[in-house]
């Protein structure tokens, strides 16, 4: 099986951030979340936020953002419009195979639509409860391999793993072969 990180790996950019900016066309009030979102992202990338801080902060921000947005647009409509415009940002080197798994910190309600359009049936992602708009599971850092094993078993064989970040080292360690993606350049790291 081949396993792919999504943002920065097969998608050129950070899809959640891009969706966030795209959603401002529907409700300008969501722009008030930009500073806290950027603060958490920077702290995480610099290693200055603990996993618990990220889980709490992202959960709180996500709930507020989705609640605000729900006042002006159906989220499914927004996601479809976003992917109508942004499927072109799927990198040309990626050709989906039947057993591919997308393993991402992004949310099921957003990346799920991209996977559907690509024909990818296996998605391991962060999840949101559609009725409460609360984050159920944040699939980043140590949660990625944990969730992957829960869904595919301890003996699941990852033939190839593709990522753009060393934060995915636990998945690199699990894979028989691993690849680092920078733009459209791919080099083997294991």
């Amino acid at each position: 099986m081949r396993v792919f990180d999504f943002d920065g790996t097969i998608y050129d950019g950070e899809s959640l951030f891009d969706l966030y900016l795209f959603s401002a066309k529907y409700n300008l009030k969501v722009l008030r979340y930009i500073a806290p979102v950027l603060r958490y992202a920077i702290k995480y990338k610099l290693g200055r936020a603990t996993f618990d801080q990220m889980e709490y902060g992202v959960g709180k921000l996500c709930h507020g953002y989705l609640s605000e947005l729900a006042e002006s647009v159906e989220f499914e409509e927004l996601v479809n419009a976003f992917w109508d415009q942004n499927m072109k940002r799927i990198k040309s080197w990626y050709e989906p195979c039947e057993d591919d798994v997308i393993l991402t910190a992004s949310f099921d309600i957003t990346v799920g639509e991209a996977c559907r359009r690509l024909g990818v049936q296996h998605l391991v992602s962060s999840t949101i409860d559609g009725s409460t708009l609360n984050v159920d599971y944040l699939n980043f850092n140590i949660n990625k391999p944990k969730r992957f094993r829960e869904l595919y078993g301890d003996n699941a064989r990852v033939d190839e793993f593709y990522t753009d970040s060393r934060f995915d080292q636990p998945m690199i360690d699990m894979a028989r072969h691993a690849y680092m993606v920078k733009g459209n350049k791919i080099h083997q790291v294991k």
Side-chain angles (χ1 to χ4, degrees):
M1 122 184 359
R2 300 185 318 164
V3 180
F4 296 84
D5 175 49
F6 188 75
D7 295 304
T9 302
I10 64 170
Y11 176 81
D12 186 15
E14 295 291 327
S15 63
L16 281 178
F17 188 72
D18 293 342
L19 178 69
Y20 169 75
L21 293 176
F22 182 83
S23 70
K25 292 193 295 189
Y26 294 84
N27 185 336
L28 286 173
K29 291 180 184 177
V30 301
L31 289 175
R32 69 185 177 142
Y33 293 94
I34 197 162
V37 165
L38 287 174
R39 186 172 52 249
Y40 275 106
I42 291 168
K43 285 173 97 173
Y44 176 67
K45 289 288 186 182
L46 294 175
R48 294 189 180 147
T50 67
F51 181 78
D52 290 339
Q53 289 170 329
M54 287 296 296
E55 203 165 37
Y56 172 77
V58 169
K60 185 177 172 185
L61 289 170
C62 189
H63 181 269
Y65 163 75
L66 289 172
S67 298
E68 191 86 50
L69 196 58
E71 295 174 8
S72 55
V73 67
E74 289 291 324
F75 198 72
E76 187 175 319
E77 176 187 327
L78 172 77
V79 169
N80 281 322
F82 173 78
W83 286 115
D84 286 347
Q85 183 175 311
N86 287 284
M87 282 303 291
K88 64 187 176 211
R89 294 182 66 181
I90 300 296
K91 296 178 182 181
S92 60
W93 63 263
Y94 177 65
E95 294 184 22
C97 292
E98 186 176 311
D99 69 343
D100 283 356
V101 176
I102 301 298
L103 179 71
T104 181
S106 290
F107 292 99
D108 54 348
I109 60 175
T110 57
V111 175
E113 177 58 20
C115 288
R116 186 191 68 74
R117 293 178 185 208
L118 289 167
V120 174
Q121 298 177 22
H122 307 284
L123 172 63
V124 181
S125 63
S126 297
T127 57
I128 293 176
D129 181 323
S131 61
T132 65
L133 303 180
N134 289 325
V135 174
D136 283 336
Y137 189 81
L138 200 54
N139 193 53
F140 75 95
N141 198 305
I142 59 173
N143 276 359
K144 277 187 175 182
K146 176 183 169 191
R147 183 62 150 192
F148 181 83
R149 286 186 184 108
E150 286 172 3
L151 295 173
Y152 295 98
D154 288 334
N155 296 323
R157 186 170 126 181
V158 177
D159 296 310
E160 298 175 8
F161 179 67
Y162 294 79
T163 185
D164 68 322
S165 173
R166 284 288 179 182
F167 284 111
D168 284 329
Q169 189 64 46
M171 290 303 301
I172 292 170
D173 294 341
M174 284 177 60
R176 291 181 64 217
H177 303 282
Y179 302 87
M180 193 62 62
V181 178
K182 296 294 178 204
N184 282 314
K185 295 184 179 181
I186 302 167
H187 72 277
Q188 190 167 1
V189 293
K190 179 180 176 189

